[in-house]
Amino acid sequence: MRELTFSKAINEALETAMRIDDSVIKYGLGVTDPLGVFNTTLDLEEKFGKDRVFDMPTSENAMTGVAVGASIGGLKPVMTHQRLDFFLLAMDQLVNNAAKWNFMFGGNSSVPITIRLIIGRGWGQGPTHAQSLQAWFAHIPGLKVVMPTTPQDAKGLLLESIFDPNPVIFLEHRWLHNMVGDVPEDDDFRVAIGKCEILKSGNDVTIVSMSYMSIEAIHAAEKLTENGISCEIIDLKTVSPVDWETIYESVEKTKRIIVLDTSSEFASIASDIVAKVSTKFFNVLKSAPQIIALPDVHSPTSYHLSGNYYKDAKDIVVEIANMFDKNIDVSDFMTKEHHDIPGDWFKGPF
Amino acid sequence: MRELTFSKAINEALETAMRIDDSVIKYGLGVTDPLGVFNTTLDLEEKFGKDRVFDMPTSENAMTGVAVGASIGGLKPVMTHQRLDFFLLAMDQLVNNAAKWNFMFGGNSSVPITIRLIIGRGWGQGPTHAQSLQAWFAHIPGLKVVMPTTPQDAKGLLLESIFDPNPVIFLEHRWLHNMVGDVPEDDDFRVAIGKCEILKSGNDVTIVSMSYMSIEAIHAAEKLTENGISCEIIDLKTVSPVDWETIYESVEKTKRIIVLDTSSEFASIASDIVAKVSTKFFNVLKSAPQIIALPDVHSPTSYHLSGNYYKDAKDIVVEIANMFDKNIDVSDFMTKEHHDIPGDWFKGPF
Amino acid sequence: MKIDKEILKKIYLTAFKIRKVEEEIADRYKEQEMRCPVHLSIGQELVPAVYSMFVTENDYAVSTHRAHAHYLSKGGSINKMIAEIYGKETGCSKGLGGSMHLIDEEVGFMGSTAIVGGTIPVGTGLGLSIKIKQENKISTVFLGDGSTEEGVFYESLNFAAVKDLPVLYICENNMYSVYSNLEVRQPKNRKIYKLAESIGIKSSHANGYDVEDCYMKLEEAINYVKENKKPFFIELDTYRYREHCGPNYDNHIGYREEQEYKKHLEKDPLNIMKEYLSDESLDIEEKKILEKIDDAFTFAKESQIPKYENIEKYIYKEKN
Amino acid sequence: MKIDKEILKKIYLTAFKIRKVEEEIADRYKEQEMRCPVHLSIGQELVPAVYSMFVTENDYAVSTHRAHAHYLSKGGSINKMIAEIYGKETGCSKGLGGSMHLIDEEVGFMGSTAIVGGTIPVGTGLGLSIKIKQENKISTVFLGDGSTEEGVFYESLNFAAVKDLPVLYICENNMYSVYSNLEVRQPKNRKIYKLAESIGIKSSHANGYDVEDCYMKLEEAINYVKENKKPFFIELDTYRYREHCGPNYDNHIGYREEQEYKKHLEKDPLNIMKEYLSDESLDIEEKKILEKIDDAFTFAKESQIPKYENIEKYIYKEKN
Ligand SMILES: Cc1ncc(C[n+]2csc(CCOP(=O)(O)OP(=O)(O)O)c2C)c(N)n1
Ligand SMILES: Cc1ncc(C[n+]2csc(CCOP(=O)(O)OP(=O)(O)O)c2C)c(N)n1
Ligand SMILES: [Mg+2]
Ligand SMILES: [Mg+2]
């Protein structure tokens, strides 16, 4: 094992994929530029040439259709968009083509493409640079939707996504790019799509979480442990298809659930998980299931507004304490100088 | 009161809106053609002229942005798309502009547009002509999403949508167009957005439903009444924002809930309603909440497959009977010659 | 006539096959067993018939909602197409797609879809794969005049031009998008092929009712793509005889003049070719084709229906 | 010089105002109180400054992520803009939008947004409203070279041409989209204004660093739209001195040559105009402007912060 940042882990996955399989290609705005999409695409053009690694016109919809075509022609395209919001231009090609292709042609042809989308947050990203639309993608049959939290999963899941015969939406939370974590030495290390992971076992309550919110969950669980509440944290990793078995087993044990989501709440992944658990474990649950997600409001730009908009470890502690009719003081828990950056490395503007 | 078809009710709403307000304009593919979008736009061009009623290039995204621009310039555009699936091309303008406009400019400017989308079903509409994406629209803050069931609501809600200062997605289920129902004589008759309606009161279970599924719910409720189960049917009418109060009151009374949805289940409106009710009425519910929606699979084209894919009154009866540990025989309940048409009036192909 | 009679005969017979398949669909549609929308190409057979002379199964093609003719001209199986329209397990898309979603990868027909403009970038991406894999083939995108109004058309051509992709865009201009005439959708006097040229792609125009013009210009276009490994755009004027979608005529409903239809019918390329060939051996060949068509309908009707239990397995392709 | 000195002075002072506002933002950005992305127009001031001579508050304009200059040239309030960047309640968008989402409807600045190409159809739709309401104004869409790669650009121009809408498209071609040079995005030797012309819109081209050329061509363009009530597209070559987003220079990071930057700096229109005018009274005017800018920053810093409790009320506009 060695320590890598999340960005570097992604860069390694891309490098490995392109090296072991000539059919992997990589394109997107900024892929060949000096910043290399937050360092994730650095050196790829040099190593694999301009044919396989390239910048593109600002034409999100056609370039998604181009990926579909290239993939049925035998390539494995990996696209990137610097913000999920920009990819709204490509919903037609994503849904009407990529997601439906294998189905509508009766399994005769599938679309092995990977689309990396970055979810923005902080430093005034505001309404057009911070959307978190995993619920949209997960609502569409035929897409796989992956949201890694750790550098290890970022690498292993990206490799698995690239070599999956189906279209995969790979969602990177901007606040994870500089997080550091252990990553196996193994060059072509894979993490299975469709499996979640128990980040921490516990007995009293199941926290189901995803992406950056799992980091907040870890902090919250520590505080809760100090206060005698033992949390089991399930990091979803794949939000479609969901690994229901692992969630159900945990709920069966803890009999309580709270789901954290990086998106706004209405018709979200979180609401679906709560719905499924409520339907199936009606007689098991000891207290009402809970959700912590963003309000059904766009992300406001102002520094003075975003602090209340986003949820963090404190909110989780308070909500879980409530489930146990406890009161835990969080007044000076996890307080940082600026709420709108993940750490000092983030200097804005994006 | 007089009887009108759903289509005619929409046609009347458009006629009224354009007559009482010069700023209302109407455009979309087929709006001026001999079939007038399933008869809903007949005669409008003649009455209000080519400036205000027009066909358009097949440019869904730009034409949505044009509606945004026209609306901030003082018009009230009403667009139509013959299938919701086609509108996937316009998600950028819908979400990044229409839905965010009022918010991102701090309430300085709003976008009073109405977008009519038709949800296809039957006669082999298949994977690209039958999507029901209300969950997508409802997941986006800033949009209102309306799904009328009756001709009366079709007229009253469309008028209300056109004159609402916000962007409204108005979803018409293709199987409702020829349904007949009472519509008030009043020319400018309105139905409030954001209010659901109790189509039938009952005591034992709350059926929350929308659009065409409410028709199936009515049939199911009759059968259930015969079998001693009294259903309360809530027709949502607006799926965003949801009229939670009415739903909550009903659940408080019946202590049981089943939600019907015309879309696939994962991260749907139905799952959100079940999640909210489970969270808030944990101690009230007497049995597990249920959902009847489409499977997380695209709509198959073949006649031999679509019968099982779509859900109907029978499925509702069986599911609700289960809640009460009853067994109701549905073997010859509501059987029709062809499952893939709403009635004899529907001769295909669209 | 600059075209060799043997070649013309082949073209005629391909066009004949397409027309007769389509007419048979139209005739039997009222039996209500083909329960899906169908967009027939009757009147538009010449372009795909000529096209079929210049490509092999090795080349790629993609198409639109109106794809029967393209599928057949590329060598797609009649049996599988008709079975697909009947929603049977033996259909080219196993009944999941219907008339609007055809595929036959064995002959390079890579898919047709029902979203206007939807396959334009897909065919462009196939061109990218050819280029990157350095294959010796071309990719063809069939498209209608209406689809050129979609932004994705423009974006795709721009990309094909930037990257020099071996893609042939064949635009069949039948003057209508559903019931809408070109003039309510595009600026007057703007020629689609000129527009393509100014986006950055070499282009030409031909009369899709004139077999010679069609032949020469398509040959030139395809050779250009093959030799230069660059994109080419060709616009061909054509006409559909029947309604936009469905089996009937619709000249009476008011969006176009009966006269316009009749004018085209007089110049019907199939009649003209047949007359010019005045070859009695054609009758035998025609009969063979008609038998094949008949067999295809029998095959379709007798084929097994798909099982609902299986449809979930088409949602994701399994890893192998 | 064909431009009257008084007019030139106005142009100069508008350009000066824009540059100084931008430079002040750049200088103070490191204080980390403007916590949102900013795309500065330093180097690109001439086009909006000239533009401001031909329109009134009655006309409409929309713009992009790089909108400060357009907002100011249309007469937008400096105070409200700076307050917006500081995320204050007094900002033109009440702090919800930040630098990338500016609006000042009182002066006809109808909104700028951060999605590339996103306002092109919006400005086109404003043109439609002008036409239908038979108003006496024009709508201007400011756009960058990169945005012309979006399908929505093409779709919008097509529609404006079909409907003869009074829209002026001003394309500021600064050769880059973020760090990408035109040539990896668009076919070589294709001129954007020629493309617009072939889509169906009258067009022209000017040197955005040459005040005379800029003045003549913009005047011509705007008069054309006003008189003919038809769309017009003008492409102006320009250059940004600083990084794509943020306050710094970025000539060292490797996507463009320092030399290119210097070449433009030598021809800097502000320096050239100032030299040509050689008018001492300018100093007084400049000082006034600098004071206003200073005041704007004070205003912004001292303004109230917005209340979180209020943000839900911006989700829907209430019926009145
Ligand atoms: C994105 C989208 N918009 C609208 C439609 C409805 N529609 C189906 S076919 C068609 C006409 C397309 O015209 P053209 O491209 O000229 O093809 P033709 O039917 O003439 O062969 C339209 C508008 C659609 N299928 N997809
Ligand atoms: C749809 C979309 N794609 C990508 C981006 C990222 N992006 C922001 S600005 C920009 C460059 C646009 O270039 P241009 O239109 O020439 O404007 P300039 O920045 O040069 O003023 C890009 C690609 C975006 N904001 N929206
Ligand atoms: Mg056509
Ligand atoms: Mg630029």
Side-chain angles (χ1 to χ4, degrees):
Chain A
M1 293 277 203
R2 58 249 145 87
E3 289 216 319
L4 295 182
T5 60
F6 190 97
S7 292
K8 179 66 186 160
I10 286 183
N11 184 252
E12 278 198 8
L14 292 169
E15 199 275 337
T16 300
M18 299 197 76
R19 180 162 34 74
I20 66 176
D21 186 341
D22 277 354
S23 70
V24 177
I25 62 170
K26 172 79 202 165
Y27 64 87
L29 295 177
V31 158
T32 59
D33 81 25
L35 305 195
V37 189
F38 311 115
N39 297 333
T40 60
T41 61
L42 292 179
D43 302 329
L44 297 175
E45 185 186 15
E46 256 170 54
K47 282 189 188 147
F48 304 106
K50 288 181 189 309
D51 267 2
R52 291 176 59 202
V53 184
F54 51 92
D55 205 337
M56 65 173 213
T58 317
S59 305
E60 287 81 0
N61 199 30
M63 294 311 297
T64 305
V66 163
V68 172
S71 78
I72 61 177
L75 300 181
K76 300 188 184 72
V78 187
M79 280 183 90
T80 314
H81 296 278
Q82 310 238 17
R83 281 292 176 276
L84 186 153
D85 313 59
F86 309 161
F87 190 56
L88 284 169
L89 282 152
M91 288 305 105
D92 170 52
Q93 287 296 322
L94 180 76
V95 175
N96 280 324
N97 279 345
K100 295 177 182 174
W101 204 267
N102 187 57
F103 183 87
M104 72 188 165
F105 295 120
N108 278 304
S109 173
S110 84
V111 170
I113 64 177
T114 304
I115 298 175
R116 295 175 46 210
L117 301 175
I118 293 164
I119 297 169
R121 175 169 167 186
W123 201 271
Q125 299 302 293
T128 57
H129 280 65
Q131 260 193 290
S132 197
L133 286 181
Q134 58 271 29
W136 270 33
F137 304 126
H139 185 58
I140 302 299
L143 297 176
K144 295 189 177 180
V145 187
V146 168
M147 295 184 84
T149 304
T150 64
Q152 167 159 345
D153 288 343
K155 178 166 180 184
L157 280 169
L158 182 52
L159 275 161
E160 193 70 9
S161 301
I162 294 170
F163 294 108
D164 194 284
N166 300 287
V168 181
I169 302 288
F170 187 91
L171 295 166
E172 299 165 29
H173 196 287
R174 180 72 185 107
W175 281 23
L176 294 174
H177 277 137
N178 259 33
M179 298 248 169
V180 171
D182 287 341
V183 177
E185 303 284 346
D186 183 4
D187 187 35
D188 183 12
F189 154 77
R190 308 279 178 103
V191 172
I193 292 177
K195 288 267 155 240
C196 44
E197 181 169 332
I198 299 180
L199 289 186
K200 177 187 170 310
S201 351
N203 295 314
D204 299 334
V205 55
T206 300
I207 304 178
V208 178
S209 180
M210 63 182 74
S211 183
Y212 178 74
M213 284 310 282
S214 296
I215 305 289
E216 297 287 347
I218 292 168
H219 294 305
E222 280 169 21
K223 183 82 179 172
L224 287 157
T225 306
E226 288 169 22
N227 286 271
I229 299 175
S230 155
C231 306
E232 177 140 309
I233 304 178
I234 299 185
D235 186 28
L236 280 169
K237 302 190 351 184
T238 300
V239 299
S240 179
V242 168
D243 175 4
W244 294 110
E245 232 173 282
T246 307
I247 296 174
Y248 292 163
E249 265 174 37
S250 175
V251 171
E252 215 137 11
K253 177 173 68 175
T254 65
K255 304 186 172 40
R256 284 192 168 86
I257 184 169
I258 181 165
V259 189
L260 318 181
D261 202 318
T262 62
S263 87
S264 57
E265 182 172 333
F266 193 71
S268 62
I269 307 275
S271 29
D272 197 277
I273 292 174
V274 164
K276 291 273 197 307
V277 166
S278 302
T279 306
K280 297 200 161 49
F281 294 87
F282 182 73
N283 294 315
V284 170
L285 290 178
K286 279 204 218 150
S287 67
Q290 297 295 341
I291 289 173
I292 293 182
L294 298 182
D296 293 314
V297 167
H298 302 293
S299 179
T301 300
S302 174
Y303 176 78
H304 310 290
L305 296 171
S306 54
N308 283 316
Y309 178 75
Y310 288 101
K311 305 292 168 247
D312 64 11
K314 279 186 195 165
D315 300 289
I316 303 169
V317 170
V318 170
E319 195 67 50
I320 291 180
N322 270 345
M323 283 175 136
F324 293 90
D325 283 323
K326 287 201 176 179
N327 228 319
I328 300 177
D329 179 22
V330 290
S331 54
D332 46 31
F333 169 57
M334 298 280 299
T335 304
K336 53 185 183 177
E337 194 189 342
H338 287 296
H339 68 264
D340 70 335
I341 49 173
D344 288 342
W345 61 269
F346 192 94
K347 301 254 180 259
F350 280 112
Chain B
M1 292 276 205
R2 58 251 145 86
E3 289 217 318
L4 294 182
T5 61
F6 190 96
S7 292
K8 180 65 187 162
I10 287 183
N11 183 251
E12 278 198 9
L14 293 169
E15 199 276 338
T16 301
M18 298 197 77
R19 180 162 33 77
I20 66 177
D21 186 341
D22 278 354
S23 70
V24 177
I25 62 170
K26 172 78 202 165
Y27 64 87
L29 295 178
V31 158
T32 59
D33 81 25
L35 305 194
V37 190
F38 311 114
N39 297 333
T40 60
T41 61
L42 292 179
D43 302 329
L44 297 176
E45 186 186 14
E46 254 169 56
K47 283 188 188 151
F48 304 105
K50 288 182 189 308
D51 267 3
R52 291 176 61 201
V53 183
F54 51 92
D55 204 338
M56 65 173 214
T58 318
S59 306
E60 287 81 359
N61 199 30
M63 294 311 298
T64 305
V66 163
V68 172
S71 77
I72 62 177
L75 300 181
K76 299 187 183 72
V78 187
M79 280 183 90
T80 315
H81 297 278
Q82 310 238 17
R83 281 295 176 274
L84 185 154
D85 313 60
F86 311 160
F87 190 56
L88 284 169
L89 282 151
M91 288 305 105
D92 170 53
Q93 286 297 323
L94 179 77
V95 175
N96 279 324
N97 278 345
K100 296 176 181 173
W101 204 267
N102 187 56
F103 182 87
M104 73 188 165
F105 295 120
N108 277 304
S109 172
S110 84
V111 171
I113 65 177
T114 304
I115 297 175
R116 295 176 46 209
L117 302 175
I118 293 164
I119 297 169
R121 175 169 166 187
W123 201 274
Q125 299 303 293
T128 57
H129 280 65
Q131 260 194 289
S132 196
L133 287 181
Q134 57 270 29
W136 270 33
F137 304 125
H139 185 58
I140 302 298
L143 297 177
K144 295 189 177 180
V145 187
V146 168
M147 295 184 84
T149 305
T150 64
Q152 166 159 344
D153 287 343
K155 178 166 179 183
L157 279 168
L158 182 52
L159 276 161
E160 193 70 10
S161 301
I162 294 170
F163 294 108
D164 193 284
N166 300 286
V168 181
I169 301 289
F170 187 90
L171 296 166
E172 299 166 29
H173 196 288
R174 180 72 186 105
W175 281 24
L176 295 174
H177 278 135
N178 259 34
M179 299 248 168
V180 171
D182 286 341
V183 177
E185 303 284 344
D186 183 5
D187 188 36
D188 183 13
F189 154 78
R190 308 279 179 104
V191 172
I193 292 177
K195 287 269 155 237
C196 44
E197 182 169 331
I198 299 180
L199 289 187
K200 178 188 169 312
S201 350
N203 295 313
D204 300 333
V205 56
T206 299
I207 304 178
V208 177
S209 180
M210 63 181 74
S211 184
Y212 178 73
M213 284 310 283
S214 296
I215 305 290
E216 298 286 348
I218 292 168
H219 294 305
E222 280 169 20
K223 183 81 178 173
L224 287 157
T225 307
E226 288 170 22
N227 286 272
I229 299 174
S230 154
C231 307
E232 178 141 308
I233 304 178
I234 299 185
D235 187 29
L236 280 168
K237 302 189 354 182
T238 300
V239 300
S240 178
V242 168
D243 175 3
W244 293 110
E245 232 173 280
T246 307
I247 296 174
Y248 293 163
E249 266 174 37
S250 176
V251 170
E252 211 133 18
K253 176 174 68 174
T254 65
K255 304 185 171 39
R256 285 191 166 87
I257 184 169
I258 181 164
V259 189
L260 318 181
D261 202 319
T262 63
S263 86
S264 56
E265 181 171 333
F266 193 72
S268 62
I269 307 273
S271 27
D272 197 278
I273 292 175
V274 164
K276 291 273 196 307
V277 167
S278 302
T279 306
K280 297 199 160 49
F281 293 86
F282 182 73
N283 294 317
V284 171
L285 290 178
K286 279 205 219 152
S287 66
Q290 297 296 341
I291 289 173
I292 293 182
L294 298 183
D296 293 314
V297 167
H298 302 293
S299 179
T301 300
S302 175
Y303 176 78
H304 311 291
L305 297 171
S306 54
N308 283 315
Y309 179 75
Y310 287 101
K311 307 289 169 250
D312 64 12
K314 278 186 195 166
D315 300 291
I316 304 169
V317 170
V318 170
E319 196 67 49
I320 292 180
N322 270 346
M323 283 175 137
F324 293 90
D325 284 323
K326 285 201 179 180
N327 229 319
I328 299 177
D329 179 23
V330 291
S331 54
D332 45 31
F333 169 57
M334 299 279 300
T335 304
K336 54 184 182 178
E337 196 190 340
H338 288 295
H339 68 264
D340 70 336
I341 49 174
D344 287 341
W345 61 269
F346 192 95
K347 301 254 181 259
F350 280 112
Chain C
M1 177 81 68
K2 288 196 207 130
I3 310 173
D4 178 278
K5 277 217 170 174
E6 272 315 296
I7 290 175
L8 194 68
K9 198 170 146 183
K10 278 194 187 161
I11 294 172
Y12 169 75
L13 287 170
T14 305
F16 177 83
K17 176 171 81 179
I18 296 170
R19 177 161 301 175
K20 289 301 160 185
V21 167
E22 296 287 64
E23 286 182 347
E24 194 66 23
I25 294 171
D27 287 351
R28 304 213 202 190
Y29 201 70
K30 62 175 171 307
E31 294 168 7
Q32 308 224 335
E33 288 181 41
M34 288 177 270
R35 297 177 84 89
C36 67
V38 290
H39 301 78
L40 304 180
S41 302
I42 302 174
Q44 303 193 185
E45 304 88 346
L46 183 64
V47 173
V50 170
Y51 166 79
S52 73
M53 303 303 296
F54 302 113
V55 290
T56 72
E57 297 178 352
N58 183 45
D59 295 304
Y60 292 139
V62 294
S63 173
T64 67
H65 56 286
R66 195 179 307 288
H68 298 175
H70 309 136
Y71 171 97
L72 294 172
S73 74
K74 196 70 183 50
S77 148
I78 311 184
N79 282 16
K80 287 188 188 173
M81 182 176 104
I82 302 299
E84 186 59 33
I85 301 174
Y86 275 82
K88 295 299 180 74
E89 177 72 27
T90 53
C92 60
S93 303
K94 302 225 169 68
L96 282 99
S99 159
M100 300 192 291
H101 308 99
L102 302 176
I103 192 166
D104 195 342
E105 289 200 320
E106 277 170 36
V107 298
F109 190 80
M110 305 302 282
S112 63
T113 71
I115 301 296
V116 169
T119 53
I120 303 177
V122 175
T124 306
L126 281 161
L128 180 67
S129 77
I130 294 170
K131 183 181 170 175
I132 290 179
K133 293 165 79 181
Q134 299 181 308
E135 291 171 324
N136 188 22
K137 48 172 97 169
I138 72 165
S139 168
T140 301
V141 176
F142 285 100
L143 62 143
D145 50 292
S147 74
T148 66
E149 292 144 26
E150 293 288 3
V152 80
F153 160 79
Y154 166 80
E155 293 180 351
S156 299
L157 265 63
N158 180 61
F159 183 68
V162 168
K163 287 280 177 192
D164 285 339
L165 303 181
V167 183
L168 174 65
Y169 299 91
I170 299 185
C171 176
E172 292 173 293
N173 183 347
N174 62 7
M175 296 152 62
Y176 293 93
S177 169
V178 193
Y179 306 117
S180 310
N181 194 284
L182 257 180
E183 67 185 28
V184 301
R185 305 178 275 122
Q186 301 186 19
K188 274 191 201 85
N189 308 321
R190 189 183 77 189
K191 283 301 208 172
I192 297 173
Y193 75 101
K194 292 269 187 203
L195 175 68
E197 183 106 29
S198 69
I199 294 175
I201 288 192
K202 213 171 144 53
S203 74
S204 72
H205 171 265
N207 179 347
Y209 263 49
D210 175 334
V211 62
E212 242 179 308
D213 195 33
C214 218
Y215 189 88
M216 301 304 162
K217 300 274 181 56
L218 268 171
E219 184 175 38
E220 200 176 85
I222 293 172
N223 284 343
Y224 177 88
V225 178
K226 284 189 180 160
E227 281 160 25
N228 299 282
K229 300 187 185 307
K230 283 188 182 173
F232 195 96
F233 182 95
I234 180 167
E235 174 183 1
L236 301 113
D237 301 327
T238 186
Y239 199 73
R240 82 172 137 72
Y241 292 167
R242 308 252 177 148
E243 61 190 342
H244 165 69
C245 178
N248 304 308
Y249 291 93
D250 69 353
N251 297 314
H252 58 288
I253 69 172
Y255 74 100
R256 63 183 191 183
E257 299 291 324
E258 174 101 41
Q259 204 37 48
E260 188 182 88
Y261 160 68
K262 288 196 174 140
K263 212 186 70 195
H264 282 89
L265 199 59
E266 271 167 30
K267 297 182 290 177
D268 183 72
L270 273 76
N271 291 342
I272 291 174
M273 283 190 283
K274 185 152 189 191
E275 221 167 278
Y276 175 80
L277 286 168
S278 73
D279 174 349
E280 289 189 357
S281 74
L282 273 185
D283 292 350
I284 306 166
E285 307 267 9
E286 284 186 358
K287 237 187 105 194
K288 275 196 223 155
I289 289 171
L290 292 175
E291 273 164 23
K292 265 197 197 157
I293 295 173
D294 216 51
D295 289 351
F297 278 83
T298 309
F299 171 80
K301 288 182 169 220
E302 290 177 356
S303 283
Q304 269 226 299
I305 62 172
K307 289 203 186 61
Y308 185 75
E309 305 80 76
N310 288 340
I311 80 168
E312 288 203 6
K313 82 171 193 230
Y314 299 122
I315 277 300
Y316 295 123
K317 184 82 146 199
E318 266 184 49
K319 270 178 77 173
N320 45 13
Chain D
M1 178 81 69
K2 289 194 208 132
I3 309 172
D4 178 277
K5 278 217 171 175
E6 272 316 296
I7 289 176
L8 194 68
K9 198 171 147 184
K10 280 195 185 160
I11 294 172
Y12 169 77
L13 288 170
T14 304
F16 177 84
K17 176 171 80 179
I18 295 170
R19 177 160 301 176
K20 290 299 161 187
V21 167
E22 296 287 65
E23 286 182 346
E24 194 65 23
I25 293 171
D27 286 352
R28 304 215 202 188
Y29 201 70
K30 61 176 173 307
E31 295 169 5
Q32 306 224 337
E33 288 181 40
M34 288 176 270
R35 296 176 84 88
C36 67
V38 290
H39 300 79
L40 304 179
S41 302
I42 303 174
Q44 305 192 182
E45 303 88 347
L46 183 62
V47 174
V50 171
Y51 166 80
S52 72
M53 303 304 295
F54 303 114
V55 291
T56 73
E57 297 177 351
N58 184 44
D59 296 303
Y60 292 138
V62 294
S63 174
T64 68
H65 55 287
R66 195 179 308 287
H68 298 177
H70 309 138
Y71 171 97
L72 294 172
S73 74
K74 196 71 184 49
S77 147
I78 310 185
N79 282 15
K80 287 188 188 175
M81 181 177 104
I82 302 298
E84 185 59 34
I85 301 174
Y86 275 83
K88 296 299 179 75
E89 178 73 26
T90 53
C92 60
S93 304
K94 303 224 168 69
L96 283 99
S99 158
M100 300 193 289
H101 308 100
L102 303 176
I103 192 166
D104 195 341
E105 289 199 321
E106 276 170 37
V107 298
F109 191 80
M110 305 301 282
S112 63
T113 72
I115 301 295
V116 169
T119 53
I120 303 177
V122 175
T124 307
L126 281 162
L128 179 68
S129 77
I130 294 169
K131 185 182 170 176
I132 290 179
K133 293 165 79 182
Q134 300 182 305
E135 291 171 324
N136 188 23
K137 47 172 98 170
I138 71 165
S139 169
T140 301
V141 176
F142 285 99
L143 61 144
D145 49 292
S147 74
T148 66
E149 292 144 27
E150 293 287 4
V152 79
F153 160 78
Y154 166 80
E155 293 179 351
S156 299
L157 265 62
N158 180 62
F159 183 68
V162 168
K163 288 280 177 191
D164 284 340
L165 303 181
V167 183
L168 174 66
Y169 299 92
I170 299 186
C171 176
E172 292 173 292
N173 183 348
N174 62 7
M175 297 152 62
Y176 293 93
S177 169
V178 192
Y179 305 118
S180 310
N181 194 283
L182 257 181
E183 67 185 27
V184 302
R185 305 178 274 121
Q186 300 186 20
K188 275 190 199 85
N189 306 321
R190 190 183 76 189
K191 282 302 206 173
I192 297 173
Y193 74 101
K194 291 270 186 203
L195 175 70
E197 183 105 30
S198 69
I199 294 174
I201 288 193
K202 213 171 143 55
S203 74
S204 71
H205 171 265
N207 180 346
Y209 264 48
D210 175 333
V211 63
E212 242 179 307
D213 195 34
C214 217
Y215 190 89
M216 300 305 163
K217 300 275 180 56
L218 268 171
E219 184 176 37
E220 200 175 83
I222 293 172
N223 284 343
Y224 177 89
V225 178
K226 285 188 181 162
E227 282 160 24
N228 300 281
K229 300 188 186 305
K230 283 189 184 175
F232 194 96
F233 182 95
I234 179 167
E235 175 184 0
L236 301 114
D237 301 326
T238 187
Y239 199 73
R240 84 173 135 70
Y241 293 167
R242 308 254 177 147
E243 61 190 342
H244 166 70
C245 179
N248 304 309
Y249 291 93
D250 69 354
N251 298 314
H252 58 288
I253 69 171
Y255 74 101
R256 62 183 192 183
E257 300 291 324
E258 175 101 42
Q259 204 36 47
E260 187 181 270
Y261 160 67
K262 288 197 174 141
K263 211 186 69 193
H264 283 90
L265 200 59
E266 271 167 31
K267 299 181 291 178
D268 184 71
L270 273 76
N271 290 343
I272 292 174
M273 283 190 283
K274 184 151 191 193
E275 221 165 279
Y276 175 81
L277 286 167
S278 72
D279 173 349
E280 290 191 356
S281 76
L282 272 185
D283 292 351
I284 306 165
E285 307 267 11
E286 285 185 357
K287 237 188 105 195
K288 275 196 223 156
I289 289 171
L290 292 176
E291 274 165 22
K292 265 198 196 157
I293 294 173
D294 217 52
D295 289 350
F297 279 83
T298 309
F299 171 79
K301 288 183 170 223
E302 291 178 354
S303 282
Q304 269 226 298
I305 63 172
K307 290 203 185 64
Y308 185 75
E309 304 80 76
N310 288 340
I311 80 168
E312 289 202 6
K313 84 171 190 228
Y314 299 122
I315 276 301
Y316 295 123
K317 185 82 147 199
E318 263 183 53
K319 271 177 78 172
N320 45 11

